[in-house]
Amino acid sequence: DVKVTQSSRYLVKRTGEKVFLECVQDMDHENMFWYRQDPGLGLRLIYFSYDVKMKEKGDIPEGYSVSREKKERFSLILESASTNQTSMYLCASSPAGGGYGYTFGSGTRLTVV
Amino acid sequence: AQKVTQAQTEISVVEKEDVTLDCVYETRDTTYYLFWYKQPPSGELVFLIRRNSFDEQNEISGRYSWNFQKSTSSFNFTITASQVVDSAVYFCALSDWGAQKLVFGQGTRLTINP
């Protein structure tokens, strides 16, 4: 069963901490994405990657960075967590080329206190 | 710029009622894809359907049906004889041809009451 796996389902971190959210896919997909989901705002794209070591900013990259050292793994980094980064974070992957839907992970609900 | 609007924030119906979720989109491209996803309480978004802009035929899959109308830039989703298991948040999304990113609507929370 192919899937996208996010390392943590729930996470609680303190303000100012450096936070790593990990995402692994086993479908050999070229594209990987990080979204955050907030009530009333839907899904907003933070960063995405078309290939290993490549990254592109999405709509709300401020306060975040990413790393993609291997094709199957895409990490989201909160350099210094803040309370306004409390949210649901969703990772997704898709094959190269346009028009494909995403396969999503189950999400990580991050609370910054 | 691309935009997807799901004006219905929340819908609540009684089981066995039919319910329609609205989706209106904006794009400058003439070729594009539209999607619907379901997010149950477990959190993972599940793919339901993809349509391309060349194909305006309506589609039916069991109790689910989709009505795509380019003239009104709408891609509405109807659940017939709703069931409690249909309770979820539903997202409509848009992707331009050749684009690898999806733009999502705000989502509609559907609650089916027994």
Side-chain angles (χ1 to χ4, degrees), chain A residues 59-78:
Chain A
D59 300 318
I60 52 164
E62 296 78 20
Y64 303 94
S65 62
V66 291
S67 172
R68 192 164 181 203
E69 296 296 319
K70 294 184 178 182
K71 188 176 184 179
E72 67 271 18
R73 185 179 297 270
F74 192 35
S75 302
L76 180 68
I77 304 159
L78 287 65

Side-chain angles (χ1 to χ4, degrees), chain A residues 92-106:
Chain A
S93 71
S94 72
Y100 296 100
Y102 295 168
T103 301
F104 280 89
S106 297

Side-chain angles (χ1 to χ4, degrees), chain A residues 33-103:
Chain A
F33 306 85
W34 276 106
Y35 284 84
R36 64 177 281 178
Q37 180 181 1
D38 300 288
L41 297 177
L43 276 67
R44 294 180 292 167
L45 182 63
I46 305 172
Y47 266 98
F48 59 101
S49 170
Y50 292 147
D51 202 349
V52 176
K53 296 192 185 296
M54 296 189 70
K55 60 185 179 184
E56 298 278 344
K57 292 181 179 179
D59 300 318
I60 52 164
E62 296 78 20
Y64 303 94
S65 62
V66 291
S67 172
R68 192 164 181 203
E69 296 296 319
K70 294 184 178 182
K71 188 176 184 179
E72 67 271 18
R73 185 179 297 270
F74 192 35
S75 302
L76 180 68
I77 304 159
L78 287 65
E79 296 291 343
S80 177
S82 63
T83 55
N84 63 14
Q85 292 178 309
T86 292
S87 186
M88 169 71 92
Y89 290 88
L90 291 161
C91 177
S93 71
S94 72
Y100 296 100
Y102 295 168
T103 301

Side-chain angles (χ1 to χ4, degrees), chain A residues 4-9 21-24 34 89-92 104-108:
Chain A
V4 175
T5 303
Q6 294 184 232
S7 54
S8 304
R9 188 77 175 94
L21 302 184
E22 306 288 347
C23 176
V24 177
W34 276 106
Y89 290 88
L90 291 161
C91 177
F104 280 89
S106 297
T108 296

Side-chain angles (χ1 to χ4, degrees), chain B residues 73-92:
Chain B
S73 297
S74 65
F75 186 44
N76 296 336
F77 173 32
T78 297
I79 301 175
T80 303
S82 60
Q83 300 177 3
V84 173
V85 293
D86 296 326
S87 296
V89 180
Y90 290 86
F91 290 95
C92 181

